């Protein structure tokens, strides 16, 4: 009897040990069917979420109207090695720019940027360009883009293999096909800030992560969706603007005191 009980206990212990799952490192995805790493089957694969590198070396705009100040902060910090906060750049743009016009249009212009970077000791210039100029561009440039009646500033990093790579203050590091960029590029303008004694940094150079972000349908579906002709607009333009914006989770309290989270559109573009 004792032998039988000992045998059952040993079998239970062995089964329990066999069923025990060892904890995987953070970021590990477990596949039911093995993948292959270098020809060796692997069940556990460590991955990193896109959110960890989507905004790498990009200053995210703090307000719906501050894409210009965030784009300029990105260039100054990641290309010219300065150490500014977006709020400092916003204050500088208000001080050296056309303050009344900034308040009226709720956004900054390239002229405002030029005045500020001149005060900071950097030569700069706005240029009319052809797409062929982008293909050979050796400086990052701030470019205005437009769609659906809205304007936005992004930092053009480089062109490679039919894609234009940009640092977007709202969406992070993304890319456009050549055809899409030509469609949204406003007035073919490039605004370039030159180093003037500051050693250029490589914060805006392409990384392996950038080269993976080529799924235009997924990345740009909400931000650059095709709008129907004006005659087909049956909904107010405000609703279209909300649809083109990012979503911000917000905690609200219902009338009955129940708390819940809803997604509220955050305008990331400002009107002309």
């Amino acid at each position: 009897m004792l032998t039988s009980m000992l045998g059952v206990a040993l079998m239970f212990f062995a089964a329990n040990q066999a069923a025990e799952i060892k904890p995987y490192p953070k970021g590990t995805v477990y596949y039911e069917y093995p993948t292959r790493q270098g020809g060796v089957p692997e069940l556990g694969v460590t991955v990193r979420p896109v959110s960890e590198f989507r905004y790498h070396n990009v200053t995210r705009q703090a307000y719906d109207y501050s894409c210009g100040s965030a784009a300029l902060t990105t260039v100054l910090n990641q290309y010219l090695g300065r150490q500014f906060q977006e709020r400092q750049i916003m204050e500088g743009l208000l001080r050296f720019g056309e303050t009344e016009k900034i308040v009226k249009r709720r956004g900054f212009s390239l002229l405002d940027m030029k005045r500020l970077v001149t005060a900071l000791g950097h030569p700069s210039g706005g240029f009319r360009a052809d797409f062929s100029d982008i293909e050979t561009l050796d400086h990052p440039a701030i470019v205005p883009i437009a769609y659906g009646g809205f304007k936005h500033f992004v930092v053009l990093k480089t062109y490679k293999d039919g894609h234009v790579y940009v640092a977007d203050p709202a969406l992070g590091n993304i890319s456009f096909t050549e055809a899409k960029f030509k469609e949204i590029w406003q007035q073919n303008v490039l605004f370039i800030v030159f180093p003037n004694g500051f050693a250029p940094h490589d914060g805006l150079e392409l990384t392996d992560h950038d080269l993976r972000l080529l799924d235009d349908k997924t990345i740009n579906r909400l931000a650059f969706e095709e709008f129907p002709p004006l005659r087909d607009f049956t909904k107010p333009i405000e609703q279209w603007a909300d649809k083109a914006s990012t979503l911000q989770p917000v905690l609200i309290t219902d009338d009955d005191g129940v708390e819940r989270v809803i997604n509220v559109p955050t305008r990331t573009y400002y009107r002309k």
Side-chain angles (χ1 to χ4, degrees), residues 238-249:
E238 293 295 317
Q239 295 183 21
W240 288 103
D242 285 341
K243 191 173 182 180
S245 65
T246 55
L247 296 178
Q248 177 69 37

Side-chain angles (χ1 to χ4, degrees), residues 58-62 66-75 86 89-90 93 108 155 169:
V58 180
T59 299
R60 299 182 67 174
Q61 60 189 81
S66 68
C67 59
S69 58
L72 182 57
T73 306
T74 297
V75 171
E86 185 196 5
I89 297 302
M90 290 179 67
L93 289 168
F108 304 108
V155 179

Side-chain angles (χ1 to χ4, degrees), residues 18-257:
E20 183 179 355
I21 299 177
K22 297 180 180 180
Y24 285 97
K26 182 179 179 181
T28 298
V29 177
Y30 184 83
Y31 291 93
E32 182 177 357
Y33 299 98
T35 60
R36 289 187 175 273
Q37 300 288 335
V40 179
E42 293 284 349
L43 286 176
V45 179
T46 302
V47 298
R48 292 176 58 195
V50 173
S51 58
E52 287 189 14
F53 55 83
R54 171 67 60 79
Y55 293 96
H56 177 66
N57 287 348
V58 180
T59 299
R60 299 182 67 174
Q61 60 189 81
Y63 306 97
D64 57 354
Y65 55 83
S66 68
C67 59
S69 58
L72 182 57
T73 306
T74 297
V75 171
L76 290 172
N77 290 353
Q78 305 304 329
Y79 177 57
L80 301 178
R82 307 298 295 263
Q83 299 293 325
F84 290 111
Q85 300 294 323
E86 185 196 5
R87 183 175 184 84
Q88 294 174 294
I89 297 302
M90 290 179 67
E91 292 173 351
L93 289 168
L94 286 168
R95 177 182 177 186
F96 294 98
E98 300 175 300
T99 306
E100 293 183 2
K101 291 184 178 181
I102 291 173
V103 173
K104 183 177 180 180
R105 64 175 173 257
R106 295 188 71 243
F108 304 108
S109 70
L110 294 178
L111 178 59
D112 300 325
M113 298 183 201
K114 181 176 179 61
R115 290 181 173 182
L116 174 58
V117 297
T118 298
L120 293 174
H122 296 286
S124 64
F127 306 93
R128 299 278 185 181
D130 296 321
F131 193 84
S132 58
D133 297 316
I134 289 180
E135 296 175 340
T136 59
L137 190 66
D138 57 358
H139 295 276
I142 297 175
V143 298
I145 58 176
Y147 77 99
F150 292 86
K151 297 197 302 182
H152 187 49
F153 286 117
V154 299
V155 179
L156 192 159
K157 298 197 292 188
T158 192
Y159 170 85
K160 182 180 177 64
D161 297 334
H163 278 76
V164 177
Y165 293 85
V166 304
D168 187 320
L171 302 176
N173 292 300
I174 61 175
S175 68
F176 301 104
T177 61
E178 178 179 330
K180 189 63 179 180
F181 186 80
K182 288 179 179 178
E183 178 185 332
I184 64 175
W185 187 16
Q186 188 179 29
Q187 300 176 351
N188 287 38
V189 171
L190 298 174
F191 179 72
I192 299 175
V193 183
F194 298 99
N196 191 33
F198 286 81
H201 286 227
D202 60 1
L204 292 176
E205 290 188 357
L206 292 189
T207 66
D208 291 341
H209 300 309
D210 291 309
L211 298 176
R212 294 188 180 101
L213 299 177
L214 294 178
D215 187 355
D216 301 293
K217 291 183 179 179
T218 299
I219 298 172
N220 303 316
R221 177 172 59 85
L222 290 179
F224 299 96
E225 186 173 2
E226 294 292 340
F227 285 85
L230 290 176
R231 65 177 182 272
D232 294 334
F233 270 30
T234 58
K235 296 182 179 180
I237 190 65
E238 293 295 317
Q239 295 183 21
W240 288 103
D242 285 341
K243 191 173 182 180
S245 65
T246 55
L247 296 178
Q248 177 69 37
V250 175
L251 180 66
I252 65 170
T253 303
D254 293 332
D255 294 336
D256 55 3

